[in-house]
Amino acid sequence: MDMKASRFTEEQIIGILREQEAGAKTADVCRKHGISSATFYKWKGKYGGLEVSDAKRLKALEHENVKLKKLLARPCSTTRCSKRSPQKNGDARRQA
C-alpha cells in the first residue's frame, strides 16, 4: 500500500505552509502552487509547526516503520499457515 508520491518535497511543503502563516490567504497560496485547499489542510495537519529537519526525520521514521511492518508480517503469516494446516485435514487428531 504505497502512497502516491507527492510532486512536492517536504522542504517545499513547509515553505508553502510558511507563506500562509506569514499572512497570505490560503486560497491565494493554493492557487499559486496548484493545490487544493484539502491538500493544503492535510499538509498543515501533518507538517504544521515542523522545521525542515523534523520533516526529514519524520519521513525516515515512516519509511523504517513500513519496512519493519513488512518484516513482522512475513513470519506471522507463515506461522499461522503452518499452525492451521494440520488441523484442517484431521491428521493431528489421528496422530494423537
Side-chain angles (χ1 to χ4, degrees), residues 28-64:
D28 294 339
V29 173
C30 292
R31 192 176 314 110
K32 177 182 173 185
H33 296 285
I35 59 172
S36 69
S37 59
T39 298
F40 178 85
Y41 287 113
K42 182 175 71 172
W43 287 350
K44 190 169 184 174
K46 185 172 184 179
Y47 297 106
L50 292 181
E51 297 294 325
V52 174
S53 61
D54 296 334
K56 286 182 179 180
R57 189 173 35 208
L58 176 66
K59 179 99 173 181
L61 287 172
E62 288 174 344
H63 182 68
E64 185 178 350

